Amino acid sequence: MQTNNSSLFILALLIFISISSCNSVKYVAKDKFLLKKNTITVNDKKSIDENLTDYIVQRPNQLVLGVPLPLYLHNSGNKLSDSTYINWLRKNPNTHRFISKVFSEKQVVRIGNSYKGLHNWFIKSGEEPVVLDSLKSQLTAKKLGLHYINEGYFKNKVSINYSFNKNQKAKVAYNVTKNNPFLIDSIFIDIKSQILDSLYQTEKQHSFLKSNERYRDYNFREESKRLTKQFRNSGIFHFSENSIGFYELDSTNTNYKTNVLVQIEDQIIEKNDSIYARTYVPYKINKVSIFTDFSYINKEKKYQDSIIYKGIQIYAVDKINFSPKFLANSIFIESTDLYSDINRDLTRNYLRTTQNFRLVDVKYTENENNTLDATIYLSPLKKYSLGLNTEVTHSNIRQLGISSKISLLNRNTFRGAEIFKLSLQGSFLNTSRDASNNSNFFNAWEAGIDASIKIPKFLFPFKTTSIIPKHMYPKTEIIVGTSWQKNIGLDIQKFTGIIDYSWESTPQKKHSLELLDAQYIRNLNVSSYFDIYASEFLKLSTIAQDYFNQTISTVNAISFYNDNINETFQISNPVEYQIARNIKKRYDIITENVLIPLIAYSYTYNNSESYSDHDFSYFKIRIAGAGNFTNLIATQKEGASSKELLGIPIAQYFRTDIEYKKFWDLTSENILAFRTRFGIAIPYGNSNQIPFSRNYFAGGPNDMRAWKVYELGPGTERSGLEYNVGNLKFMSSLEYRFKILNNLKGALFTDIGNIWDITNSSLTTTKSSFNGLKSVKELAIGSGFGLRYDFSFLVLRLDLGFKTYEPYLENNKWFSNYNFRNAVFNIGINYPF
C-alpha cells in the first residue's frame, strides 16, 4: 500500500489548528469578547454585496483558509517571556546549576535573550486579537445607514444584534431595512449664465439624472463631473465644479418622490479684499509658446535661440535641438481655438510618451480680452545615457539564470524625439532539461546584441493621420539583432528583424501591427549532436548492434537511421522502431534551420487602473501569418520538397493566440484570479510542420504546474521525449491568492489543459492528434498550493503542483499520482499570470 504524504500533511495541519484554537482568547480580558464574525442582512436576506463590507469599521482577525493563523502566531508568544524564563530557572535549581556549569554567564544571558526574542517575534509578527468594541459597531451602523441614504433609501433603518458564547467570542449582526426608495420626480434647472445654459441644453440628453429613476448619490457625482468636463472643454477656462449645486425639494413627501434642483452659480472672484460674481465666459487661445530647454536653474536666463513655426513661438536658452515640425505636430493646442482640458492633457501626454522629457508642463496666462496665452515648458532628459541591468531570470524553459544587459541610449537622435538604443546582453543559465552529463550548475549561456530605434509617429511613405490620428499616440519601432546560445553544448545563432507599429485607440485598448517580424534560426554545431546527447546515441547504438550487427559512431548515426529504420523494421520490431523514431524526431526538432518571416496584428484590452488594481479584466488576441510574401520570391530546387530563400527553408503557417484574464478583489487581500489561453498554428503551403520555436508546449511554473516543462502531451501520447510539442493548445487556470502573514502570501490553484498535433504528418500518432470534442477528455488537470513572498520589486514564488487527472493513464486516471513523491516543485519569479 502506497503512503499518501498529502494525508499526513493534512492531519498535521488539523492537529495544529485544534491545538491553537484552544488558545484564541489568550490575550482577551475576562470581561471582553473576541470578535468572531460580522454579518449584514438586508431586508431579512443575507447580503452578498462585497461593497458593503467596506463600511464595517471593526473586522475579525485575518483568516488564512478559514483559520486565524496570524492570531494564533501572536498568541504563541509570551508577553512575559523574560520573567517566565527567570521563574523557570528558580523552580528548577538543579537544571539551573547544570546550565551554569555547562555555559558561561554570558551564554546563559544569551539563551535568555534568545528565548525572549523568539516570543517577541511571535507577538510582533502575529496579529493582536480584535476585541469587540460597541462604539465601532455603532459607527458601522451609521455608515451603512448613510450608504443607503445615498442610494435613495431615505427612511432606512439599521439595527445591531450581538451574540456571545461561553468561550468569550462574539458575533455581530447588522440588520438593514431599506424601506421604499425615493424616486426623482421633476428636475428643475437654474443656470445663471446664458452661455452655460446653452451648452447644457446641447448635451442634456446625456444627463445622469432622469425623472422616475431612483435617487442615487452616485448619479449626482457623475452628473457634476460630466458638466464640469463639458464646460471646461468648451472654453470655460475658470469653471469650477464647486459652482454646481444639487438640492432636494420636498423629500418628506409620502409618495416617495422628490424634486431636484440643479443650480449653477456665476463665477466668484476675490480681488482686492472684495468678492463679487461674474458670469462665466468662454476663452480662446491667443498664442502658443514652447520653451524647449526649461529648468529652474536657467529660468531667469535670456533665450538665445528662437523660431516661429506654424504660428508657434519656440525658444531655447542655448539651441533648439528639437525639430520645429516635431514640436508643432506634438501640440494639440492651437491659436484661435477655444480652451479645452482635453487638448491640454493630450499635449502633455503625447510629449511624455516620447520618453525624451523629464518635465512637461502646460501653463496659461490670462489676457484682458478673454484670451489665453499657452506656454509649454519642456525639460529634456540627457541625450546620452548608459544603463546596466543585472537580474535573476526565470521562465518555463529556463529554471534559473543570471543575466546582465548594458544599454547605450541616444535620445532625440534625428531631432524628432527618436530614441536609438544599442544593447549588449549575456546570461548564464540553468536549463530545465539537462540531456548531457554536464555537471556544472550553469549548463548554458546566451549572448546577444541588438539595435533599435523608436519613432513617435508612423514611418510610412504616405500620411496615416486620417486612419490613426496623433491622439492615439502612434509609434514605430525598428529592431535588428542577433544572439548566440549555447544550450548544453549545441550552439544556436538567431538573427531577428522587426518593424512594429503601435497605437492606442483608448487608454484601455492597444494595437500593434508587426509589418515584419523575421527570425532566422541557425544551428552551428549540428555534427556534435550525439556527442552532447550521449544517452540518445547509446539507445540508437544498441539498436544498431543488436538488430543490424553494426557499430556506429556519433558522426554516422543519422546515416544509419536513414538507411535502416523503415517500415520493414517497424513491422518486426515496433518497440525499437518507436525508440529510434523518437530519437530522429528530437534530432529534427533541435537541429532545425529555418527562416520565419511573419506579419502579425495584436489587440489588447486592459481596464486595470494601476499596478495595485486587483479587480480588472485583460484580453489579448494575436493573429500572425508567416511566409506568405517571402514564399512568392522563394525558389524550389529540383527534387526539393519545399521552397528556399538563399538556401534557407521558408516556414509558412498561420497562428492565432487568445488570452483572457480576470481578477476579482475579494476582501482583506484575497484575490481570485482566472486565466484561459487558446492557441492554434496551422502549417500550409511550403511547410508541413511548425518550426520548433513557434510550437506550443505544456508544463512548467507558468503553465501546467503539476508537470515539468515539455512533459505533458501531445494528447495522451507518452513518447519519452524530453521535448514534447504540439500546434494546438488550450489551458485554463484558477487561483485563489490570500495573505498569510505580512509580506508572505499563499495560493491554491487548479490548472487544466493540454496540447495536440493537428498537422497529420507522418510523425503524428493517433494519441497525439486532436479529435474535436472527443479530445475534451484528454485535458489534464493539476492542482496544488503555493507560497509567495513580496519583496515589493519582485515576488518570489514557490508552487507545488499535484497531478490530479492524467488522461494518458490506461486506468485510474484520477488521483493515481496525487502525492508528494510525484508532485512538481516550481520556483518562479512574480505571479504566473
Side-chain angles (χ1 to χ4, degrees):
M1 180 177 177
Q2 187 181 40
T3 302
N4 194 327
N5 293 328
S6 58
S7 299
L8 295 176
F9 172 79
I10 294 171
L11 179 61
L13 183 62
L14 290 174
I15 293 173
F16 169 75
I17 293 172
S18 61
I19 294 174
S20 301
S21 62
C22 298
N23 209 20
S24 59
V25 294
K26 177 180 178 180
Y27 291 117
V28 178
K30 295 299 182 182
D31 59 340
K32 302 295 183 180
F33 292 87
L34 178 72
L35 179 59
K36 186 70 174 177
K37 186 179 182 182
N38 290 313
T39 58
I40 301 175
T41 59
V42 180
N43 290 346
D44 298 326
K45 292 183 179 179
K46 186 176 180 180
S47 173
I48 58 174
D49 185 359
E50 294 291 343
N51 294 324
L52 289 181
T53 60
D54 293 338
Y55 299 102
I56 297 178
V57 178
Q58 188 179 40
R59 307 185 187 196
N61 288 97
Q62 177 196 333
L63 299 179
V64 178
L65 301 178
V67 178
L69 188 61
L71 173 62
Y72 293 159
L73 184 66
H74 175 85
N75 289 351
S76 298
N78 188 342
K79 294 182 178 180
L80 303 175
S81 56
D82 195 11
S83 59
T84 300
Y85 176 68
I86 295 173
N87 291 335
W88 179 80
L89 291 177
R90 289 174 178 171
K91 291 179 181 180
N92 299 273
N94 293 331
T95 306
H96 189 188
R97 283 193 293 270
F98 172 77
I99 292 176
S100 300
K101 290 180 180 179
V102 176
F103 302 101
S104 67
E105 183 177 348
K106 289 184 178 180
Q107 290 174 324
V108 172
V109 172
R110 287 173 185 169
I111 293 172
N113 289 336
S114 298
Y115 177 81
K116 182 180 178 181
L118 177 63
H119 281 273
N120 286 339
W121 183 86
F122 283 131
I123 296 294
K124 293 179 180 179
S125 299
E127 185 180 29
E128 291 187 359
V130 177
V131 179
L132 176 64
D133 186 336
S134 60
L135 292 178
K136 292 181 179 180
S137 301
Q138 292 171 20
L139 182 56
T140 297
K142 184 178 179 180
K143 286 177 173 287
L144 288 170
L146 288 174
H147 165 74
Y148 280 102
I149 287 175
N150 291 334
E151 290 295 309
Y153 299 95
F154 296 161
K155 297 183 178 182
N156 76 82
K157 294 182 180 180
V158 182
S159 62
I160 308 173
N161 291 330
Y162 299 98
S163 60
F164 307 96
N165 65 21
K166 60 183 180 180
N167 295 324
Q168 283 188 265
K169 296 177 183 178
K171 296 180 181 179
V172 183
Y174 299 96
N175 305 306
V176 180
T177 303
K178 293 193 299 185
N179 292 316
N180 294 331
F182 274 72
L183 306 180
I184 296 177
D185 192 2
S186 298
I187 302 173
F188 299 95
I189 309 298
D190 179 17
I191 302 177
K192 306 300 183 184
S193 168
Q194 291 184 355
I195 294 174
L196 294 190
D197 186 65
S198 298
L199 290 172
Y200 175 85
Q201 296 300 328
T202 61
E203 298 285 340
K204 66 179 182 180
Q205 69 273 18
H206 300 302
S207 175
F208 286 86
L209 307 180
K210 300 184 185 299
S211 297
N212 296 318
E213 287 193 359
R214 178 158 54 94
Y215 182 104
R216 295 185 66 208
D217 182 69
Y218 170 82
N219 290 335
F220 285 89
R221 294 196 305 270
E222 291 300 308
E223 177 67 1
S224 182
K225 293 177 184 178
R226 183 189 72 85
L227 291 174
T228 303
K229 183 178 179 181
Q230 179 191 0
F231 296 152
R232 288 189 61 83
N233 288 317
S234 301
I236 314 301
F237 175 68
H238 285 295
F239 187 81
S240 169
E241 193 171 350
N242 294 331
S243 297
I244 304 174
F246 301 102
Y247 303 95
E248 304 160 20
L249 307 176
D250 304 323
S251 61
T252 58
N253 286 346
T254 56
N255 62 354
Y256 290 94
K257 286 191 175 184
T258 182
N259 297 323
V260 172
L261 171 64
V262 180
Q263 191 173 67
I264 302 179
E265 300 288 349
D266 284 338
Q267 180 185 357
I268 302 300
I269 298 176
E270 297 183 21
K271 188 175 182 181
N272 298 328
D273 297 328
S274 61
I275 300 175
Y276 62 94
R278 188 183 76 169
T279 185
Y280 282 109
V281 294
Y283 280 72
K284 287 189 176 182
I285 303 300
N286 177 46
K287 67 177 182 179
V288 180
S289 303
I290 305 175
F291 293 86
T292 61
D293 55 357
F294 173 80
S295 71
Y296 291 103
I297 296 176
N298 62 21
K299 65 179 181 179
E300 302 297 334
K301 291 183 180 180
K302 185 178 179 181
Y303 289 89
Q304 303 296 325
D305 195 5
S306 64
I307 189 175
I308 298 177
Y309 183 83
K310 290 186 176 182
I312 301 174
Q313 296 178 333
I314 305 172
Y315 301 93
V317 170
D318 185 15
K319 180 182 178 181
I320 299 175
N321 293 316
F322 292 91
S323 162
K325 182 179 180 181
F326 156 72
L327 293 171
N329 289 338
S330 303
I331 307 303
F332 292 78
I333 304 167
E334 298 183 7
S335 60
T336 72
D337 281 357
L338 287 171
Y339 168 81
S340 169
D341 278 355
I342 290 178
N343 291 340
R344 179 201 60 193
D345 294 340
L346 285 173
T347 299
R348 191 160 48 197
N349 293 338
Y350 187 93
L351 288 166
R352 285 174 177 171
T353 59
T354 65
Q355 300 176 352
N356 270 256
F357 304 100
R358 182 176 62 256
L359 170 70
V360 178
D361 196 11
V362 182
K363 293 186 179 297
Y364 294 89
T365 303
E366 185 177 354
N367 302 315
E368 293 183 356
N369 58 349
N370 296 332
T371 62
L372 299 169
D373 292 339
T375 306
I376 301 163
Y377 297 95
L378 304 177
S379 296
L381 293 164
K382 291 182 179 179
K383 180 172 178 62
Y384 297 101
S385 63
L386 189 66
L388 176 62
N389 181 33
T390 301
E391 62 180 356
V392 177
T393 61
H394 176 78
S395 69
N396 278 326
I397 301 174
R398 298 163 183 172
Q399 287 287 66
L400 184 65
I402 298 176
S403 66
S404 291
K405 183 176 184 179
I406 184 170
S407 301
L408 174 65
L409 229 63
N410 179 358
R411 296 183 180 89
N412 195 32
T413 309
F414 303 112
R415 302 184 68 230
E418 305 87 358
I419 298 179
F420 175 79
K421 184 177 181 181
L422 181 66
S423 300
L424 298 171
Q425 59 265 352
S427 302
F428 290 100
L429 309 167
N430 172 259
T431 56
S432 60
R433 297 286 184 174
D434 188 354
S436 72
N437 294 322
N438 194 334
S439 60
N440 294 328
F441 179 76
F442 291 113
N443 49 27
W445 59 262
E446 187 174 32
I449 179 172
D450 60 70
S452 68
I453 186 165
K454 291 182 180 179
I455 306 169
K457 64 178 181 179
F458 278 174
L459 193 64
F460 255 48
F462 54 86
K463 287 187 176 182
T464 59
T465 52
S466 59
I467 305 172
I468 309 294
K470 64 180 182 180
H471 71 259
M472 293 185 180
Y473 312 125
K475 294 180 182 63
T476 302
E477 184 171 15
I478 302 173
I479 304 172
V480 292
T482 183
S483 65
W484 299 265
Q485 183 185 59
K486 186 174 182 180
N487 188 6
I488 323 173
L490 193 62
D491 302 334
I492 294 177
Q493 185 175 14
K494 297 178 182 177
F495 297 91
T496 302
I498 299 173
I499 302 177
D500 180 37
Y501 299 92
S502 61
W503 67 98
E504 301 177 13
S505 52
T506 71
Q508 296 80 28
K509 301 174 183 178
K510 297 182 180 181
H511 309 259
S512 172
L513 176 62
E514 298 169 63
L515 193 62
L516 174 65
D517 185 348
Q519 186 176 72
Y520 169 51
I521 302 172
R522 182 187 177 197
N523 295 283
L524 304 176
N525 199 13
V526 176
S527 61
S528 64
Y529 177 86
F530 285 107
D531 292 321
I532 299 161
Y533 293 88
S535 60
E536 298 286 80
F537 173 72
L538 180 61
K539 295 175 186 177
L540 196 61
S541 177
T542 301
I543 293 173
Q545 184 67 47
D546 293 347
Y547 295 92
F548 297 93
N549 198 25
Q550 293 186 25
T551 300
I552 62 173
S553 68
T554 57
V555 176
N556 65 5
I558 291 299
S559 298
F560 162 77
Y561 177 92
N562 293 332
D563 294 339
N564 298 280
I565 307 303
N566 48 35
E567 292 183 3
T568 303
F569 184 71
Q570 180 185 13
I571 295 172
S572 58
N573 303 281
V575 175
E576 288 72 21
Y577 172 83
Q578 183 64 39
I579 293 173
R581 179 174 174 271
N582 287 345
I583 294 170
K584 180 60 165 61
K585 184 177 180 181
R586 173 173 174 160
Y587 175 89
D588 291 339
I589 288 172
I590 296 179
T591 62
E592 178 182 48
N593 284 359
V594 67
L595 175 64
I596 310 171
L598 63 79
I599 298 175
Y601 167 76
S602 300
Y603 167 79
T604 304
Y605 173 83
N606 186 350
N607 65 357
S608 173
E609 296 181 357
S610 66
Y611 177 77
S612 59
D613 188 1
H614 299 304
D615 201 324
F616 67 94
S617 299
Y618 173 94
F619 173 80
K620 181 177 182 178
I621 181 171
R622 184 174 187 266
I623 303 171
N628 295 318
F629 293 105
T630 314
N631 197 47
L632 297 176
I633 59 175
T635 58
Q636 185 171 358
K637 296 180 180 179
E638 185 176 353
S641 59
S642 60
K643 292 183 178 181
E644 296 180 351
L645 182 64
L646 302 176
I648 306 169
I650 306 298
Q652 190 172 15
Y653 64 89
F654 173 84
R655 173 169 167 158
T656 298
D657 294 279
I658 301 173
E659 182 177 25
Y660 174 75
K661 294 185 286 189
K662 175 65 178 176
F663 299 85
W664 293 270
D665 192 353
L666 305 179
T667 57
S668 302
E669 298 190 53
N670 289 269
I671 299 167
L672 186 64
F674 171 76
R675 171 187 64 177
T676 188
R677 292 191 298 178
F678 172 79
I680 184 171
I682 304 173
Y684 65 94
N686 200 52
S687 300
N688 55 19
Q689 287 190 4
I690 305 297
F692 174 72
S693 62
R694 303 302 170 96
N695 262 310
Y696 301 102
F697 62 88
N702 299 323
D703 201 83
M704 298 289 294
R705 284 166 279 187
W707 286 265
K708 295 179 181 178
V709 64
Y710 288 109
E711 183 181 15
L712 178 62
T716 58
E717 181 80 37
R718 304 191 76 178
S719 64
L721 293 178
E722 291 181 349
Y723 295 88
N724 294 292
V725 296
N727 44 29
L728 175 67
K729 179 173 183 175
F730 173 82
M731 79 154 295
S732 283
S733 296
L734 185 66
E735 185 167 284
Y736 173 59
R737 300 169 183 170
F738 52 89
K739 180 180 178 180
I740 297 177
L741 189 67
N742 299 328
N743 292 334
L744 181 63
K745 314 293 176 67
L748 299 174
F749 61 84
T750 298
D751 303 322
I752 178 171
N754 207 337
I755 56 173
W756 292 270
D757 193 324
I758 59 172
T759 60
N760 294 322
S761 68
S762 58
L763 297 177
T764 305
T765 65
T766 303
K767 289 185 177 182
S768 64
S769 297
F770 180 74
N771 297 305
L773 292 177
K774 294 181 180 179
S775 294
V776 171
K777 62 183 180 181
E778 297 176 359
L779 290 169
I781 302 176
S783 58
F785 60 89
L787 297 175
R788 290 88 191 271
Y789 193 86
D790 191 347
F791 289 96
S792 72
F793 59 92
L794 64 82
V795 175
L796 179 62
R797 174 167 53 93
L798 307 175
D799 285 338
L800 193 62
F802 297 91
K803 296 175 177 62
T804 308
Y805 177 79
E806 301 173 80
Y808 44 78
L809 296 179
E810 294 296 331
N811 300 300
N812 301 324
K813 300 177 187 291
W814 286 95
F815 302 106
S816 290
N817 295 299
Y818 196 88
N819 49 59
F820 281 93
R821 187 178 63 183
N822 293 290
V824 176
F825 183 69
N826 299 280
I827 300 176
I829 295 175
N830 295 327
Y831 290 101
F833 60 92

